[in-house]
Structure formats: C-alpha cells, structure tokens
C-alpha cells in the first residue's frame, strides 16, 4: 500500500467546547509536522529518521506536553522522557531529563551509541553532555501555563492526565486555562516506508504534579512505544494504565498471534484498558493506519501515500 504516517498530541478529556484559540495552535502544529513527515517519506528517508524529525518538531512546540511544553512535577521541575524503536526491534529510551532540548534524539543516541536500551536521570544527562546534544537551562521548559497547571493540580490535590479539566471547587473561578485546557498532551509519531520498514517514537513531560522520579509509559518499550516487522505503535494517556495493559506490545501481539488486522488489534488493545485512559496511533507494514482512543478526544493526524489525510481531535461521529 505504500508509505504511511500518523502523529498524536495527546489523548484525554478534551471538551467539545475547547475554544478556537486553544485548538488552533495545536491543529496548526499537527498540520505542519504532518507535512514535514510526509515530505521526509517522499524523499525516501528511513522511518526512524522521520519519526525522530517529527517528534523533535512537536517537542519544540510549547502547546504539547513534551520538550518545551513539558508539565511540572510536584516540586515545580521538569523530568522529560522519550523512546524510539524500529521494526528490527532496535530501541532506545531516556527518563528524568532536565536540560536536554530534544529527549527523542537522546533516546536515539542511546539506541545507536550504547550497548543499552534505557538511560535515566543523572546518567542520561551525563550521556547527553558526552554526545554533545543541545541542552539548555531548565528554566527554558518552565512556562507560565505549566506553572498555572501545577497550581491547579495542587489545589485539587491530584495528579493529572493529559487535558484534565480543573474542578470548580479547586479553582473557585473560571481561569484562562480552566476552559478545557488545564493539561496538554504527550506527543508521538509512527511511520512506514514503501519497503515496509517501520518506526515509532514517543515523548512526554509526564503528568502534572507527578512525584519526582515517577516514570510513565512513554519510555517503556512495549507500553508507550513498540515496533516490529508488523506494526509501529505510539500510545498516550494515563501511563499507569498503559503500563498495566502493555498497550503498544498488545497491538503487535494481536496481529502476530491472533492474525488480527491493524485496525482490529488497535481497537482491541484500547478497549482492553479502562475507559478514559488511553489513545494510540499505529501503522502496519502494508501502510494501514489506526488511531483509536477511549478518552473524550485525541489530537491526531495521519497521511498515506494514496492521498488520504486527516487531522482531528474528537471521534468522527462528533461535530468539531
């Protein structure tokens, strides 16, 4: 069927009332990043290059919960994490990053330049300096919007998943962020080329008000990210639920051991997780795309070589 690409900007409780000024920057970023990925595939760049390139762009956008827009821990700090994997099961992952501008690129360096798969915290930061990747002062990642999100989460005494709505009791009033924008989403990209080569990449700042040292599904191979010879998957949502469900691996396993199609396997994996917790994007070696979710919405985009493309937030049966 040819090449295909899909990307996401997080799944969660995204209300239909989300204002245009909240939606538009994210939709525009998804559109721009989709075009970058499509162009790279047309230039016959390897899928692992494509997913890294697209996720770097998403990390640099403050409207999503990764890189520049990463949400804050209970201490008001950032701890970013990411992973990348290709269809030959080569993979790399990082956690606990505080100064690395593009976590996904460090994850790729772990994959390619070390005998390991996963580096975290001080060791990952030291490796970043050793490799000469771009780093910056931690203050670069601490945006006013995320300071406000943390304040709301602390007032509600909660740890918040992507796009969590603040409770009226917690805020006492409608805030600028209160209108369906108290959280922002993890990012990911999956791609397949004309030869059936596959890759997946996912990056996040985690949960608002998470404990220092908490690790979610994003850097865990088989949970937030997975690729093999059949498919590539990037998940988003509540990390703990995705880890319990080994969501990304389940899609591949259902295809391999039950003979399900990509669409059937992706739907089954999402339905197996309690409602309101997960979304995923996936492509198959034959160029199929699936983007199911059991949350209110998921910022997502996809394109295939046969000319199909889509950028959406809510289920297709709901008006935008």
């Amino acid at each position: 069927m040819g090449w295909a690409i899909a990307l996401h900007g997080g799944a969660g409780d995204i209300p239909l009332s989300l204002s245009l000024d909240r939606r538009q920057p994210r939709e525009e970023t998804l559109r721009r990043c989709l075009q970058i990925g499509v162009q790279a595939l047309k230039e016959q760049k390897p899928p692992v290059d494509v997913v890294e390139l697209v996720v770097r762009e998403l990390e640099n956008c403050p409207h999503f919960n990764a890189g520049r827009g990463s949400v804050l821990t209970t201490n008001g700090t950032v701890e970013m994490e990411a992973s990348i994997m290709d269809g030959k099961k080569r993979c790399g992952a990082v956690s606990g990053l505080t100064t690395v501008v593009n976590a996904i690129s460090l994850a790729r360096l772990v994959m390619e330049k070390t005998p390991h798969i996963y580096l975290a915290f001080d060791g990952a930061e030291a490796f970043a300096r050793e490799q000469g990747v771009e780093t910056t002062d931690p203050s670069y990642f601490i945006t006013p919007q995320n300071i406000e999100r943390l304040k709301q989460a602390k007032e509600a005494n909660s740890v918040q998943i992507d796009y969590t709505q603040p409770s009226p009791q917690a805020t006492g009033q409608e805030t600028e962020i209160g209108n369906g924008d108290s959280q922002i989403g993890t990012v990911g990209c999956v791609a397949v080329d004309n030869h059936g080569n596959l890759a997946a990449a996912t990056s996040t700042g985690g949960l608002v008000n998470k404990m220092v040292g908490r690790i979610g599904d994003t850097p865990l191979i088989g949970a937030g990210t997975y690729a093999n010879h059949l498919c590539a998957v990037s998940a988003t949502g509540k990390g703990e639920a995705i880890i319990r469900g080994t969501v990304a691996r389940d899609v591949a396993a259902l295809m391999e051991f039950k003979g399900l199609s990509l669409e059937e396997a992706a739907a089954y994996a999402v339905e197996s997780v309690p409602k309101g917790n997960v979304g995923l994007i996936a492509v198959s070696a034959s160029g199929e795309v699936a983007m199911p979710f059991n949350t209110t919405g998921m910022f997502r985009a996809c394109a295939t070589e046969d000319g199909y493309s889509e950028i959406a937030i809510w289920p297709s049966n709901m008006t935008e």
Side-chain angles (χ1 to χ4, degrees), residues 34-191:
L34 183 64
Q35 287 166 350
I36 288 168
V38 166
Q39 188 57 38
L41 284 167
K42 285 180 176 175
E43 291 169 3
Q44 302 192 336
K45 289 201 164 90
V48 72
D49 289 0
V50 176
V51 297
E52 180 191 6
L53 180 68
V54 169
V55 169
R56 280 176 64 94
E57 286 294 321
L58 290 163
E59 286 174 338
N60 294 340
C61 169
H63 301 294
F64 294 113
N65 175 16
R68 176 85 171 94
S70 291
V71 298
L72 307 180
T73 69
T74 190
N75 285 5
T77 55
V78 294
E79 290 182 356
M80 298 168 285
E81 48 195 21
S83 65
I84 192 166
M85 188 170 189
D86 70 17
K88 296 182 174 68
K89 297 191 182 176
R90 299 186 314 148
C91 48
V94 287
S95 279
L97 302 181
T98 56
T99 69
V100 175
V101 173
N102 293 111
I104 198 63
S105 292
L106 191 64
R108 182 164 182 187
L109 287 168
V110 172
M111 174 174 83
E112 295 184 342
K113 305 285 188 185
T114 80
H116 308 306
I117 288 173
Y118 197 162
L119 292 180
F121 298 93
D122 291 351
E125 285 281 337
F127 178 64
R129 290 190 291 276
E130 180 191 300
Q131 292 294 315
V133 304
E134 187 182 359
T135 57
T136 189
D137 188 87
S139 62
Y140 163 82
F141 304 102
I142 299 171
T143 64
Q145 293 88 344
N146 281 331
I147 291 169
E148 178 62 25
R149 288 183 178 100
L150 177 62
K151 180 170 168 279
Q152 288 183 4
K154 283 181 178 287
E155 285 169 354
N157 194 26
S158 73
V159 175
Q160 294 183 340
I161 184 179
D162 290 349
Y163 305 104
T164 297
Q165 305 310 301
S167 67
Q169 298 93 323
T171 60
Q173 60 186 15
E174 187 72 15
T175 67
E176 181 191 353
I177 291 167
N179 185 22
D181 200 35
S182 70
Q183 240 283 32
I184 48 176
T186 296
V187 304
C189 181
V190 293

Side-chain angles (χ1 to χ4, degrees), residues 146-319:
N146 281 331
I147 291 169
E148 178 62 25
R149 288 183 178 100
L150 177 62
K151 180 170 168 279
Q152 288 183 4
K154 283 181 178 287
E155 285 169 354
N157 194 26
S158 73
V159 175
Q160 294 183 340
I161 184 179
D162 290 349
Y163 305 104
T164 297
Q165 305 310 301
S167 67
Q169 298 93 323
T171 60
Q173 60 186 15
E174 187 72 15
T175 67
E176 181 191 353
I177 291 167
N179 185 22
D181 200 35
S182 70
Q183 240 283 32
I184 48 176
T186 296
V187 304
C189 181
V190 293
V192 60
D193 67 12
N194 287 309
H195 308 291
N197 297 308
L198 292 145
T202 317
S203 182
T204 192
L207 298 174
V208 177
N209 200 28
K210 65 182 181 180
M211 290 173 66
V212 170
R214 178 264 185 186
I215 291 168
D217 68 291
T218 293
L220 298 184
I221 300 302
T225 305
Y226 193 74
N228 67 2
H229 64 290
L230 294 171
C231 65
V233 185
S234 172
T236 171
K238 184 69 182 288
E240 284 71 13
I242 294 168
I243 293 166
R244 285 188 198 102
T246 57
V247 169
R249 169 62 183 150
D250 268 16
V251 176
L254 287 161
M255 291 180 73
E256 186 168 1
F257 304 125
K258 283 194 83 173
L260 299 189
S261 69
L262 178 78
E263 193 173 353
E264 291 167 337
Y268 189 100
V270 165
E271 285 161 15
S272 301
V273 175
K275 194 167 174 54
N277 280 289
V278 66
L280 66 82
I281 53 172
V283 292
S284 72
S286 58
E288 301 158 302
V289 177
M291 302 190 293
F293 52 96
N294 69 11
T295 52
T296 309
M298 177 171 73
F299 279 93
R300 62 199 188 278
C302 72
T304 60
E305 189 170 11
D306 62 13
Y308 179 78
S309 71
E310 177 187 353
I311 296 172
I313 305 171
W314 297 285
S316 52
N317 61 351
M318 296 173 81
T319 54

